[in-house]
Amino acid sequence: NLTIKQPLFHLYVFDEIRKSKGALRKNEIVNNDSEKLIMLESVRHYFNLIKYKNLVELNQKKQHYYSAKYNSSLKLLDGGNISVQEHEKHKNSFDKSIIDVQLSRNELAGIKNQVYIFSGKELNDINDIELVKLKHREFIAENLINLAYQENNSIKISEQNIKISRNDIASQKSRHYPTIDILAEYGYSDITQGGSQFGPTTREDSTISLVFNFPIYNGGYQNSKTRQAKLNYEKARYDYKNTKRILRTEIIDTLNKYNIGRDQYEVALQVKKTKQEKYDNAKLGYEKGIYSDTDLLSAQIEYFESESNTKNIMMDYIYNKLMLDYLSNDLNIASLRMINTYLVW
């Protein structure tokens, strides 16, 4: 016996099709968001590599400086020119500088491990970044928020979840409605040995019928599925509202950081210029015998520290701008090309 059942009219199928289209659209949005998030995370990881590489170099210079001061204190202590307490202060500073170098190396190794987990590749060479004049873009917070409400991928995903949940409710409700199927049956029997007073016989028959199914009661299963779909819909609506609140907060916080970053960068450039002039004067004074080697090292450290701080502020400023672009779904590969022009190759 062979039975073939072909659904002819099941109302819930159309709702399932709409739900599947919504799921496909959601996956497209998730894929687009993942690509942009990879760009953003790539920049964040590489900026962290630059920050901690520069921190290691700065701490090494500090260690050299405190080593020079410690050696000088040994000579002064032997000559009775300083107290034991003053000598121990220089020794403690030198010991701490050794630990600081090791800690910064460990932090750099940790960042490299994060990059390896993220990209699957080990980075041996880390480029530095040069200080450049940045063009600040003025944003109006409310305009940026309204744009993000329309373009942000998290908002779009939440909207798709609402549509999918709504279609799921319709699909579950439609399963209460009657269905129509086409049923084709074919039967074949072969009686070759006994069992028939007419001797060996064969028989075959086939039927095609239109079956109307009317659901009456299935133990409350379908009702519970409908209630679950409604709860999922309410959750999707709540998630959508919550996503908008979180997005608004992220935009305002990032925009504030971006705007204050411009002022911080300008001040840091001025401080760096002052420290560079002081360092240049110290080098000139050292050549003429006015400054000691520790005075020169002190000025050098102040200069390199101001330079490192300025680079960190610039990278934070650039990253906050990229974050604003990401939140408004405006981040693209051109942003990465721009950052490449800032790197020292």
Side-chain angles (χ1 to χ4, degrees):
N1 292 319
L2 177 64
T3 301
I4 299 176
K5 183 178 180 181
Q6 173 62 48
L8 184 63
F9 182 77
H10 287 220
L11 193 59
Y12 68 86
V13 171
F14 300 100
D15 299 312
E16 287 293 323
I17 291 174
R18 284 191 289 270
K19 187 171 72 171
S20 298
K21 288 181 178 179
L24 288 173
R25 176 56 184 156
K26 176 184 173 181
N27 288 336
E28 291 174 358
I29 298 170
V30 170
N31 183 61
N32 178 267
D33 187 66
S34 298
E35 291 177 356
K36 295 181 183 299
L37 192 59
I38 288 173
M39 295 182 196
L40 191 65
E41 285 296 286
S42 298
V43 173
R44 185 179 69 86
H45 282 305
Y46 203 82
F47 278 0
N48 282 337
L49 285 171
I50 295 174
K51 288 179 180 180
Y52 283 99
K53 180 184 78 70
N54 291 341
L55 180 61
V56 170
E57 294 176 355
L58 178 62
N59 284 337
Q60 287 173 337
K61 288 182 173 64
K62 287 183 177 180
Q63 180 184 347
H64 182 57
Y65 167 69
Y66 287 117
S67 174
K69 293 197 72 174
Y70 171 62
N71 292 329
S72 297
S73 71
L74 281 174
K75 297 177 181 178
L76 293 173
L77 180 65
D78 291 339
N81 296 317
I82 61 172
S83 64
V84 175
Q85 290 79 10
E86 184 71 15
H87 166 71
E88 289 179 347
K89 184 182 74 172
H90 292 298
K91 182 179 182 302
N92 293 336
S93 297
F94 174 58
D95 291 340
K96 182 179 180 299
S97 68
I98 296 175
I99 297 174
D100 288 341
V101 169
Q102 188 58 51
L103 286 174
S104 57
R105 284 175 176 168
N106 292 343
E107 289 171 341
L108 178 60
I111 296 298
K112 287 183 176 181
N113 288 334
Q114 291 180 21
V115 172
Y116 177 75
I117 293 173
F118 177 75
S119 64
K121 298 180 180 179
E122 293 185 4
L123 292 181
N124 296 319
D125 297 327
I126 304 173
N127 301 99
D128 202 354
I129 193 167
E130 62 179 348
L131 298 173
V132 297
K133 184 175 179 59
L134 298 173
K135 184 177 180 181
H136 185 76
R137 181 180 174 185
E138 296 291 344
F139 290 101
I140 299 176
E142 286 304 319
N143 292 346
L144 194 60
I145 291 170
N146 291 332
L147 176 64
Y149 282 169
Q150 297 175 5
E151 301 295 335
N152 181 266
N153 284 326
S154 295
I155 295 293
K156 291 181 179 179
I157 291 172
S158 297
E159 290 173 343
Q160 288 301 316
N161 286 335
I162 292 176
K163 292 179 181 179
I164 292 171
S165 300
R166 189 185 295 122
N167 288 327
D168 190 32
I169 292 175
S171 174
Q172 298 302 331
K173 285 183 176 180
S174 298
R175 294 176 188 271
H176 288 285
Y177 302 145
T179 61
I180 300 175
D181 301 318
I182 295 177
L183 189 66
E185 295 181 305
Y186 172 79
Y188 175 81
S189 61
D190 184 0
I191 306 175
T192 57
Q193 296 180 358
S196 173
Q197 58 181 339
F198 303 106
T201 59
T202 60
R203 186 180 64 186
E204 61 179 315
D205 58 83
S206 60
T207 59
I208 298 178
S209 56
L210 195 64
V211 181
F212 179 78
N213 301 293
F214 189 85
I216 298 177
Y217 180 70
N218 59 359
Y221 171 77
Q222 199 56 51
N223 288 334
S224 64
K225 293 287 288 184
T226 303
R227 287 194 296 270
Q228 181 182 358
K230 289 181 179 179
L231 291 174
N232 289 338
Y233 174 69
E234 291 300 323
K235 181 180 182 300
R237 291 183 59 189
Y238 172 80
D239 290 343
Y240 172 72
K241 294 178 181 178
N242 190 53
T243 300
K244 291 184 70 175
R245 288 193 291 266
I246 293 174
L247 179 60
R248 180 184 180 87
T249 302
E250 287 182 340
I251 288 175
I252 293 175
D253 290 345
T254 306
L255 183 58
N256 289 337
K257 292 177 183 177
Y258 173 68
N259 288 332
I260 197 67
R262 173 189 57 182
D263 298 332
Q264 288 178 319
Y265 184 59
E266 291 177 354
V267 171
L269 286 173
Q270 295 173 4
V271 172
K272 173 185 171 293
K273 181 180 178 182
T274 301
K275 298 297 183 182
Q276 185 173 12
E277 291 173 352
K278 180 179 178 181
Y279 179 42
D280 292 339
N281 291 333
K283 287 191 289 185
L284 183 61
Y286 179 73
E287 291 174 358
K288 294 182 178 181
I290 301 174
Y291 287 171
S292 65
D293 57 344
T294 54
D295 293 330
L296 177 62
L297 287 173
S298 177
Q300 182 191 51
I301 287 174
E302 288 183 10
Y303 166 67
F304 281 112
E305 194 165 23
S306 67
E307 183 182 48
S308 177
N309 181 60
T310 306
K311 289 179 180 179
N312 291 346
I313 292 174
M314 187 184 82
M315 287 185 285
D316 290 339
Y317 175 86
I318 294 172
Y319 181 79
N320 286 325
K321 172 59 170 61
L322 295 179
M323 176 60 78
L324 289 175
D325 291 340
Y326 169 74
L327 293 174
S328 58
N329 200 23
D330 194 33
L331 185 63
N332 52 56
I333 197 66
S335 302
L336 299 185
R337 294 195 183 101
M338 176 195 67
I339 293 174
N340 279 339
T341 62
Y342 301 156
L343 298 178
V344 179
W345 298 93

